[in-house]
Structure formats: C-alpha cells, structure tokens
Amino acid sequence: MRRSLLAFVVALLVLPPAGRADVAVRSYPLPAGGGPHDVAVGADGIVWYTAQRSGQLGRLDPATGKVDLIPLGAGAAPHGVIIGPDGAPWVTEGGTNAVVRVDPKTREVKRWPLPEARGYANLNTLTFDKRGRVWFTGQSGIYGRLDPKTGAMQVWDAPRGRGPYGITTTPDGDVYYASLAGNHIVRVDLETGAATVIEPPTKDQGARRVWSDSRGRIWVSEWNAGNVSCYDPRAVTWKTWKLPGEQPHAYAVYVDDRDKVWLSDWGANAMVRFDPETETFEVFRSDRGGANVRQILGRPGEVWAPESGADRLVVYRTR
C-alpha cells in the first residue's frame, strides 16, 4: 500500500509530455569507440568532449556535424573538460596525471603534470576561480590548484581520503567539490586551500557532482540515494528531493541559465529537468539503451549531455 501511494505521489510530480514544448532535442553521432565522458560548449557554439577510451579530445561543429579528434598523447585517458576564461578547452587528463590545455586554433596541447610524489590521482573534474586559477579533484583522495600564469601547482589531501569528484564555482567565486566515496561536499578556502566538510542530510547518499545556481546555492546529485539536494550557504540549510521512478541513480547535475536543474538518471536511462520553484520533474528518456550520461554542461539556451554508452552527444535546446 505504501509503495503504491508513493508511486502515485511521484507521478503527480512528473509533468506530462505537453510540458516539454519548450525543449527541442537533437543528437550528434560521434566516432565509435571514443566513450565520450565530459562535454563543454564554448561561446562560439563549438562543442568539445573527452573521448576517454581513445585518449583524445573531440571537437564537434554542430552546424555541420563534423567531428575532429585531437590526440592527447600516449597513455591518455581524459576525464573532465571545461571552457576556460581564455576560450580554450581545459582537461583533467587522468591517464598522464596532468591538467591539459588545448589551443582551440592551433590544437597545441600543453600539460601541467601533478608532482611525481603524489602518484596516480585519478583526476576527475576542474573549475576556474575568479583569479584565473584552476581547481581540480582526484578520486584517489586529492584536490589541487594550478596557476596557469606561473605554473605553480599545489595539491592537498582530501579531509576524508578517497572520493573527490565533481567541482563548481559559484557566482561569488567560492569553490565547492563533492566526494562520492566520502558522502559529503566541501567548501575550499581559496587562499589556504583548507577544506571545510559539509554533511548532506541523507546518510551514505553518494554525492557525485555539484553545480551552483545564480544565487550561489549548491545543487548535488546523490548517486546512492537517487536524490537531488540543494545546500544554501547563506541560510546554512538543505532541501532534498527524490527523483521520480523506482530506482533512480542521479549521476550528473547542471543548472541552466534559467536556474532549472538538470540531472542524468541512470536508473531511468534519462535526463531529468527539475524546477525548484514548482518542485516538479520532467523526464526525457533516451532512445538508446544504456546511454550512461556522466556529465552535463551548456550555455544559455543549450544543455549538452554526452551519452558515453551510445557514442553520441545530445543537446536539449530550450526556448
């Protein structure tokens, strides 16, 4: 009886297909075998993605569908990619344990290796602060900071060991990361590098990725619990919502230019859009089995999702 009632309540929270009239969906096939992991779109509309299995950075021109592949070197296995303030794609290159910049015009690859004493970091994701410095995470239990102007790099041990994963910068310039294995999020002191642990209300939730909205609130995708949570640093409060469906697994999270929250749900093989104002969900199921969207990013009017299991990029254009 309780399960039936819960299913009914969840169904009420999911808008009907008519609610999707403002979204146009298009997919772009990629070279087979690349395993697109993360994606980033520049102000010029060019889309970059990490082809993790083939050790390359991909460049998609959505106007033509043309894809170019840029080798990142022997042993490369790129994970994260973002567009830096310089307009170039920046990559966490897990295979060679380095932060990498690719020149968007010349395709030159420049790398900043982690200190050898640190060993294999299992580099994950990166973000820029307001001073042009790159902050990054490593699942082996580290987080770090690179100043591209000087080449200075510092690496710190995560407060609870293994797990640092997604990372984000707020509009005010604060940096937060999520720890998947540690089941918490962290606020980083930008000057000292000190990490302050912030506990989500759900135990063992599996905080995987984080993203800030325009108000500086931190949205968290909870892999183990199937939740999306919101931490408000000003009020020091949490709110949590369960994704619709029987066994949701929230992997990636991204907040668009209208403060709508997008998540990838591996349990439903779908992208999910959450409206914090109405507290309602919309579900966009993939037409490919095992799409496995591991990260989401975009620009105003566009939300991009790399389907690592289908070797394609999918864009959700909002009107």
Side-chain angles (χ1 to χ4, degrees), residues 54-91:
S54 62
Q56 298 165 310
L57 181 68
R59 179 190 184 276
L60 165 70
D61 183 346
T64 63
K66 184 175 184 293
V67 176
D68 295 315
L69 295 172
I70 303 163
L72 296 180
H79 190 118
V81 59
I82 60 171
I83 304 300
D86 57 356
W90 289 74
V91 178

Coordinates of all heavy atoms in Angstrom, one line a residue, residues 54-91:
S54 N 39.6 6.5 -26.2 CA 40.6 6.6 -27.2 C 41.7 7.6 -26.9 O 42.6 7.8 -27.8 CB 39.9 7.0 -28.5 OG 39.3 8.2 -28.4
G55 N 41.6 8.2 -25.8 CA 42.7 9.2 -25.4 C 42.8 10.4 -26.2 O 43.8 11.0 -26.4
Q56 N 41.6 10.9 -26.6 CA 41.6 12.1 -27.5 C 40.6 13.2 -26.9 O 39.7 12.9 -26.1 CB 41.1 11.7 -28.9 CG 42.0 10.7 -29.6 CD 41.4 10.1 -30.8 OE1 40.3 9.6 -30.7 NE2 42.1 10.1 -31.9
L57 N 40.7 14.4 -27.4 CA 39.8 15.4 -27.2 C 39.0 15.6 -28.5 O 39.6 15.8 -29.6 CB 40.4 16.7 -26.8 CG 39.5 17.9 -26.5 CD1 38.6 17.6 -25.3 CD2 40.2 19.2 -26.4
G58 N 37.7 15.6 -28.4 CA 36.9 15.7 -29.6 C 36.4 17.1 -29.8 O 36.1 17.8 -28.8
R59 N 36.2 17.6 -31.1 CA 35.7 18.9 -31.4 C 34.5 18.7 -32.4 O 34.7 18.2 -33.5 CB 36.8 19.8 -32.0 CG 36.3 21.2 -32.4 CD 37.3 21.9 -33.2 NE 37.0 23.3 -33.6 CZ 36.2 23.6 -34.6 NH1 35.7 22.7 -35.4 NH2 35.9 24.9 -34.8
L60 N 33.3 19.1 -31.9 CA 32.1 19.0 -32.8 C 31.7 20.4 -33.2 O 31.5 21.3 -32.4 CB 31.0 18.3 -32.0 CG 29.6 18.4 -32.6 CD1 29.5 17.6 -33.9 CD2 28.5 18.0 -31.6
D61 N 31.4 20.5 -34.5 CA 30.8 21.7 -35.0 C 29.3 21.4 -35.3 O 29.0 20.7 -36.2 CB 31.4 22.2 -36.3 CG 30.9 23.5 -36.9 OD1 29.8 23.9 -36.4 OD2 31.5 24.0 -37.8
P62 N 28.4 21.8 -34.4 CA 27.0 21.5 -34.5 C 26.4 21.9 -35.8 O 25.4 21.3 -36.3 CB 26.4 22.1 -33.3 CG 27.4 22.4 -32.3 CD 28.6 22.7 -33.2
A63 N 26.9 23.0 -36.4 CA 26.3 23.5 -37.7 C 26.5 22.5 -38.8 O 25.6 22.4 -39.7 CB 27.0 24.8 -38.1
T64 N 27.6 21.7 -38.8 CA 27.9 20.8 -39.9 C 27.9 19.3 -39.4 O 27.8 18.4 -40.2 CB 29.2 21.1 -40.5 OG1 30.3 20.8 -39.5 CG2 29.3 22.5 -41.0
G65 N 28.0 19.1 -38.1 CA 28.1 17.7 -37.6 C 29.5 17.2 -37.7 O 29.7 16.0 -37.3
K66 N 30.4 18.0 -38.2 CA 31.8 17.5 -38.4 C 32.5 17.3 -37.0 O 32.4 18.2 -36.2 CB 32.6 18.5 -39.3 CG 34.0 18.0 -39.6 CD 34.7 19.0 -40.6 CE 36.0 18.5 -41.0 NZ 37.0 18.6 -39.9
V67 N 33.2 16.2 -36.9 CA 34.0 15.9 -35.6 C 35.5 15.8 -36.0 O 35.9 15.1 -36.9 CB 33.5 14.6 -35.0 CG1 34.3 14.3 -33.8 CG2 32.0 14.8 -34.6
D68 N 36.3 16.5 -35.2 CA 37.8 16.4 -35.3 C 38.3 15.8 -34.0 O 37.7 16.1 -32.9 CB 38.4 17.8 -35.5 CG 38.0 18.4 -36.9 OD1 38.0 17.6 -37.9 OD2 37.7 19.6 -36.9
L69 N 39.3 15.0 -34.1 CA 39.9 14.4 -32.9 C 41.3 14.8 -32.7 O 42.1 14.8 -33.7 CB 39.8 12.8 -33.0 CG 38.4 12.2 -33.0 CD1 38.4 10.7 -33.4 CD2 37.7 12.5 -31.7
I70 N 41.6 15.2 -31.5 CA 42.9 15.7 -31.2 C 43.6 14.7 -30.2 O 43.1 14.6 -29.0 CB 42.9 17.1 -30.5 CG1 42.2 18.0 -31.5 CG2 44.2 17.6 -30.2 CD1 41.7 19.3 -30.9
P71 N 44.7 14.0 -30.6 CA 45.3 13.1 -29.6 C 46.0 13.8 -28.5 O 46.6 14.9 -28.6 CB 46.4 12.4 -30.5 CG 46.0 12.7 -31.9 CD 45.3 14.0 -31.9
L72 N 45.8 13.3 -27.3 CA 46.4 13.9 -26.1 C 47.6 13.2 -25.6 O 48.1 13.5 -24.5 CB 45.3 13.9 -25.0 CG 44.1 14.8 -25.3 CD1 43.1 14.7 -24.1 CD2 44.5 16.2 -25.6
G73 N 48.2 12.3 -26.4 CA 49.5 11.7 -26.0 C 49.3 10.2 -25.6 O 48.2 9.7 -25.3
A74 N 50.5 9.6 -25.6 CA 50.5 8.1 -25.2 C 49.9 7.9 -23.8 O 50.3 8.7 -22.9 CB 51.9 7.6 -25.3
G75 N 49.1 7.0 -23.7 CA 48.5 6.7 -22.3 C 47.4 7.6 -21.9 O 47.0 7.4 -20.7
A76 N 47.0 8.5 -22.7 CA 46.0 9.5 -22.3 C 44.6 8.8 -22.0 O 44.2 7.9 -22.7 CB 45.8 10.6 -23.3
A77 N 43.9 9.3 -21.0 CA 42.5 8.8 -20.7 C 41.8 10.0 -20.1 O 41.6 10.1 -18.9 CB 42.6 7.7 -19.7
P78 N 41.4 11.0 -20.9 CA 40.9 12.3 -20.4 C 39.5 12.1 -19.7 O 38.7 11.3 -20.2 CB 40.8 13.2 -21.6 CG 40.6 12.2 -22.7 CD 41.5 11.0 -22.4
H79 N 39.3 12.8 -18.7 CA 38.0 12.7 -17.9 C 37.2 14.0 -18.1 O 36.2 14.0 -18.8 CB 38.3 12.4 -16.4 CG 37.1 12.1 -15.6 ND1 37.0 10.9 -15.0 CD2 36.0 12.8 -15.3 CE1 35.9 10.8 -14.3 NE2 35.2 12.0 -14.5
G80 N 37.6 15.1 -17.4 CA 36.8 16.3 -17.5 C 37.2 17.3 -18.5 O 38.4 17.3 -18.9
V81 N 36.3 18.1 -19.0 CA 36.7 19.2 -19.8 C 35.7 20.4 -19.6 O 34.5 20.2 -19.3 CB 36.6 18.8 -21.3 CG1 35.2 18.4 -21.7 CG2 37.0 20.0 -22.2
I82 N 36.3 21.6 -19.5 CA 35.5 22.8 -19.4 C 36.2 23.9 -20.3 O 37.3 23.7 -20.8 CB 35.5 23.4 -18.0 CG1 36.9 23.7 -17.5 CG2 34.8 22.4 -17.0 CD1 36.9 24.5 -16.1
I83 N 35.4 24.9 -20.6 CA 36.0 26.0 -21.4 C 36.5 27.1 -20.4 O 35.8 27.5 -19.5 CB 34.9 26.7 -22.3 CG1 34.3 25.6 -23.2 CG2 35.5 27.8 -23.1 CD1 35.3 24.9 -24.1
G84 N 37.8 27.4 -20.5 CA 38.4 28.4 -19.6 C 38.0 29.8 -19.9 O 37.4 30.1 -21.0
P85 N 38.4 30.8 -19.1 CA 38.2 32.2 -19.4 C 38.9 32.6 -20.7 O 38.6 33.7 -21.2 CB 38.7 32.9 -18.2 CG 39.5 31.9 -17.4 CD 39.0 30.6 -17.8
D86 N 39.9 31.9 -21.1 CA 40.6 32.2 -22.3 C 39.9 31.6 -23.6 O 40.5 31.8 -24.7 CB 42.0 31.7 -22.2 CG 42.1 30.2 -22.0 OD1 41.1 29.5 -21.8 OD2 43.2 29.6 -22.0
G87 N 38.8 30.9 -23.4 CA 38.1 30.4 -24.5 C 38.6 29.0 -25.0 O 38.1 28.4 -26.0
A88 N 39.6 28.5 -24.3 CA 40.2 27.2 -24.7 C 39.6 26.1 -23.8 O 39.2 26.3 -22.7 CB 41.7 27.2 -24.5
P89 N 39.6 24.8 -24.3 CA 39.2 23.7 -23.5 C 40.3 23.3 -22.6 O 41.5 23.2 -23.0 CB 38.9 22.6 -24.6 CG 39.7 23.0 -25.8 CD 39.8 24.5 -25.8
W90 N 40.0 23.1 -21.3 CA 40.9 22.6 -20.3 C 40.4 21.2 -19.8 O 39.3 21.0 -19.6 CB 41.0 23.6 -19.1 CG 41.7 24.9 -19.5 CD1 41.2 25.9 -20.2 CD2 43.0 25.3 -19.0 NE1 42.1 26.9 -20.3 CE2 43.2 26.6 -19.6 CE3 43.9 24.7 -18.2 CZ2 44.4 27.3 -19.3 CZ3 45.1 25.4 -18.0 CH2 45.3 26.6 -18.6
V91 N 41.4 20.3 -19.7 CA 41.1 18.9 -19.5 C 41.8 18.4 -18.2 O 43.0 18.7 -18.0 CB 41.5 18.1 -20.7 CG1 41.2 16.6 -20.5 CG2 40.8 18.6 -22.0

